[in-house]
Amino acid sequence: MIQHLNHLELLSGNSKVKKFNLKKKVVCLTSYNKFSAQIADKYCDLILVGDSVGMAYYGDKSTRFVSIQEIIRHGKSVRQGVKNAILVVDMPYGTYKNSPEAVKNAKKIVKETKCDAVKIEGGYEVSLIAKNIIKNKINVMGHIGLQPQKIKKNDHYRVIGHTFSEQEKLFKDIDCLQKAGVFSIVVEAVKNKVSNELVKKSKVPIIGIGASKNCHGQVLVLEDMLGMFEKVPKFVKRYSNLNRYIEKAIQKYSKDVRNEKFPSTQNIYK
Ligand code: KIV
């Protein structure tokens, strides 16, 4: 039996409690700017300014190059578009190596972006850090399973939970993060059977990406689901083919300019 939690509850930046009904699945997406956030806010319960911005927006090979200034810049933009959803901002690689640094950087992110929570990657090894951030009245979301910040240049992305030791680590991770007080945990690229067990065990909502459909909610990177990339992981479902639309529009524009069809009388000032 999968446990059904009733509420997702957290203190928002202005200390009001935000409560979400979890009788339905929690819908989450990433966003890196005000305009996509305004649309996502109509349909999502939680919006994440993910450090996937490094790869999906800047075209880097890893999420490791995102700086705190960059995530804050995107967080501020997204904040302008989010009125209802929970706004979570990722703490970039290297910004939560120890508790004092983590607390200082989490405070900076919350102060400047006015987000409701920060997300950190890692399990039991970051649980004390999570606890110390939470002690400072900042909501923390966990992220276990595949952790993109741990992937070095030539490593490849892989599914987690095949071995007994990986499974044991996941259970320990979830237990320690819950005890630390995280309000929710992202579980990425974990075998279906194992993620089902994690959902059963968890007392906080589990948000899956490449995990079981029994997770309390699902998250995807917006650009992945819009069809902006040729190669995406198996867990991505493409809901559009935006790249093709963009290419067609640019092709048409280029033709119009070359054939002197643009600008037309409608586009010039009389
Ligand atoms: O950075 C990100 O977009 C994320 C999601 C994939 C959960 O962490």
Side-chain angles (χ1 to χ4, degrees):
M1 258 287 284
I2 300 299
Q3 185 189 1
H4 283 289
L5 300 161
N6 288 331
H7 293 106
L8 168 61
E9 208 175 283
L10 75 167
L11 271 182
S12 79
N14 51 14
S15 344
K16 274 192 288 183
V17 172
K18 279 198 175 185
K19 248 184 177 184
F20 287 84
N21 188 346
L22 288 179
K23 282 182 191 141
K24 292 185 194 151
K25 297 283 182 180
V26 186
V27 182
C28 316
L29 270 179
T30 62
S31 168
Y32 313 134
N33 66 53
K34 173 183 172 178
F35 308 109
S36 63
Q38 274 172 334
I39 303 170
D41 193 46
K42 292 190 207 170
Y43 304 98
C44 295
D45 304 299
L46 188 151
I47 294 175
L48 170 70
V49 184
D51 60 358
S52 52
V53 67
M55 296 171 80
Y57 182 84
Y58 290 108
D60 295 341
K61 290 253 180 312
S62 149
T63 60
R64 285 187 168 202
F65 308 113
V66 177
S67 67
I68 191 159
Q69 287 77 18
E70 279 167 344
I71 209 88
I72 287 173
R73 183 74 187 92
H74 287 278
K76 278 178 162 176
S77 175
V78 171
R79 174 77 280 173
Q80 294 178 63
V82 177
K83 300 283 173 274
N84 299 307
I86 294 176
L87 176 58
V88 182
V89 175
D90 256 342
M91 293 195 69
Y93 175 70
T95 64
Y96 52 100
K97 282 187 284 212
N98 55 55
S99 287
E101 249 187 66
V103 170
K104 186 184 93 197
N105 288 325
K107 279 184 176 172
K108 184 177 167 71
I109 291 172
V110 171
K111 185 170 174 227
E112 296 195 28
T113 66
K114 304 200 171 21
C115 61
D116 301 303
V118 294
K119 176 164 80 61
I120 62 175
E121 289 183 14
Y124 69 88
E125 71 279 10
V126 298
S127 57
L128 183 61
I129 288 172
K131 191 174 171 178
N132 284 318
I133 301 174
I134 295 162
K135 256 194 205 161
N136 281 272
K137 296 193 168 36
I138 295 173
N139 299 298
V140 175
M141 186 175 206
H143 183 151
I144 62 171
L146 188 132
Q147 294 157 39
Q149 289 181 4
K150 291 223 167 82
I151 296 182
K152 297 194 197 101
K153 217 171 148 198
N154 295 319
D155 292 349
H156 60 276
Y157 287 68
R158 65 180 191 87
V159 179
I160 310 290
H162 285 290
T163 64
F164 183 67
S165 69
E166 276 181 358
Q167 291 169 19
E168 268 199 320
K169 159 116 178 39
L170 286 166
F171 292 119
K172 186 171 167 187
D173 287 345
I174 220 155
D175 202 39
C176 294
L177 287 174
Q178 271 176 198
K179 284 183 182 141
V182 301
F183 76 93
S184 175
I185 301 170
V186 169
V187 170
E188 180 165 353
V190 169
K191 270 184 76 172
N192 192 48
K193 236 177 152 181
V194 182
S195 30
N196 274 336
E197 290 305 312
L198 293 172
V199 173
K200 272 193 213 165
K201 202 172 186 298
S202 182
K203 293 185 183 69
V204 297
I206 299 293
I207 310 300
I209 173 162
S212 151
K213 69 183 271 193
N214 289 316
C215 291
H216 303 96
Q218 299 291 331
V219 60
L220 281 178
V221 170
L222 181 66
E223 284 71 6
D224 284 347
M225 61 85 89
L226 289 178
M228 296 206 57
F229 304 114
E230 236 167 66
K231 269 178 73 182
V232 285
K234 175 187 164 87
F235 59 67
V236 174
K237 178 173 173 182
R238 288 190 179 96
Y239 286 84
S240 184
N241 195 339
L242 201 55
N243 240 13
R244 211 174 59 205
Y245 292 118
I246 294 172
E247 180 162 352
K248 276 194 174 162
I250 295 177
Q251 198 181 32
K252 204 155 184 291
Y253 164 72
S254 127
K255 254 191 187 167
D256 280 359
V257 172
R258 293 207 170 103
N259 297 334
E260 295 184 29
K261 279 191 173 167
F262 177 84
S264 70
T265 47
Q266 284 163 334
N267 310 114
I268 51 171
Y269 298 103
K270 289 197 180 108

